[in-house]
Amino acid sequence: MSACKTPSPVAQSPGLPKSAEGDPVFGEPWHAQAFALTVHLHERGLFEWSEWAQSLSREVHKPGRVADGSDYFDAWVAALTTLLVEKGVADGDRVLALQKSWQRAAEATPHGSPIQLANDPLAV
């Protein structure tokens, strides 16, 4: 397997957890998914790098963020969501409704079973 010779500017994001070799590391699968989605949207031209950096910086520096940075990817997803809403790509209310639906689905899913949106007890 070969490594990418030209890393995306998103991979150089300040605060992004990195390995000793300088590669991004992810504590959870969803961290990697959020990262990949952001890279994809940026590379597709949905937003400029400077827009992304400003959105992420605003989120990371909001009052209430934990000092140790353990909520970095929560800030990452919030920044991406905000940017998508600002660009008219996503509806903020719909995103929040989906987030709540996934949370209910997770709470209703038996341990060891895959979480599926259909497990949301309030799903229509």
Side-chain angles (χ1 to χ4, degrees):
M1 179 184 291
S2 64
C4 179
K5 301 286 186 225
T6 3
S8 166
V10 179
Q12 307 309 315
S13 181
L16 183 66
K18 296 186 179 194
S19 70
E21 295 78 28
D23 299 321
V25 295
F26 306 101
E28 300 287 338
W30 70 268
H31 296 175
Q33 292 167 339
F35 179 86
L37 180 59
T38 304
V39 169
H40 176 75
L41 294 173
H42 168 68
E43 290 175 348
R44 296 284 302 208
L46 188 61
F47 48 82
E48 296 295 322
W49 174 246
S50 59
E51 293 175 291
W52 166 249
Q54 289 172 357
S55 184
L56 181 59
S57 180
R58 278 191 305 268
E59 278 302 326
V60 167
H61 293 99
K62 275 188 176 176
R65 291 278 173 211
V66 296
D68 68 1
S70 60
D71 64 347
Y72 182 77
F73 279 100
D74 293 321
W76 184 287
V77 170
L80 182 58
T81 301
T82 298
L83 198 52
L84 294 177
V85 169
E86 288 173 355
K87 295 283 186 181
V89 175
D91 176 84
D93 293 336
R94 181 70 181 133
V95 170
L96 182 58
L98 277 170
Q99 179 184 2
K100 290 178 179 180
S101 184
W102 276 110
Q103 183 62 42
R104 287 188 303 267
E107 292 167 358
T109 300
H111 180 72
S113 298
I115 299 171
Q116 299 176 2
L117 199 52
N119 293 347
D120 176 0
L122 300 181
V124 179

